[in-house]
Amino acid sequence: MMFRQMSLGRGWLDDRGGVTVFVAVCVIALIGIIGVAVDGGSKMRATERADFIAGEAARAGGQAIDPADAISGKAIVVEPQAAAAAAQSYLRSAGAVGTASVSGDGKTLTVTVNGTYDTKFLSVVGIGSLPVTGHGKATLLHAVTAPEGN
């Protein structure tokens, strides 16, 4: 009889199991924070890689000099169409997708790499991928307009 009275006396103020709910909420929050940290850091690494690839593609394009002018000794200049094609070729070889464009004055090659990072933790909440963009720029003509000695 005594046991029955004790259980009736506790009523709705009984907080047994309250710690379990608190721990469950905290664990879910910690997993979320860890997920944001892991996926955020990985997205930053993917962006760095995209920047690296774009920079290398721009450098590859910057080496596409016009052989006719260079051999004849007229000037050492970059052929804009060849520079853009060389940059695109590098992007293809690196497995990246992007654009390469030459400025109107033909002196600057700009490469943009676009991609995505597939998330590991954030996919649980419906974010399956994050966009990644990298930029690279090369000056195609740098103070050399004629061979030395002329």
Side-chain angles (χ1 to χ4, degrees), residues 25-59:
V25 169
C26 287
V27 166
I28 291 171
L30 285 174
I31 290 173
I33 291 169
I34 290 169
V36 168
V38 167
D39 284 336
S42 296
K43 182 186 187 265
M44 286 177 50
R45 279 194 306 278
T47 301
E48 287 174 0
R49 184 176 186 282
D51 281 337
F52 174 77
I53 290 172
E56 289 298 313
R59 287 193 241 345

Side-chain angles (χ1 to χ4, degrees), residues 5-97:
Q5 286 178 341
M6 282 178 46
S7 65
L8 289 175
R10 291 185 186 214
W12 62 274
L13 295 176
D14 186 13
D15 63 353
R16 282 184 289 166
V19 172
T20 305
V21 173
F22 176 74
V23 169
V25 169
C26 287
V27 166
I28 291 171
L30 285 174
I31 290 173
I33 291 169
I34 290 169
V36 168
V38 167
D39 284 336
S42 296
K43 182 186 187 265
M44 286 177 50
R45 279 194 306 278
T47 301
E48 287 174 0
R49 184 176 186 282
D51 281 337
F52 174 77
I53 290 172
E56 289 298 313
R59 287 193 241 345
Q63 295 175 6
I65 63 170
D66 184 2
D69 286 343
I71 292 172
S72 68
K74 286 184 189 175
I76 300 173
V77 295
V78 175
E79 191 175 317
Q81 292 80 14
Q88 284 293 340
S89 175
Y90 184 88
L91 290 177
R92 278 192 300 278
S93 70
V97 177

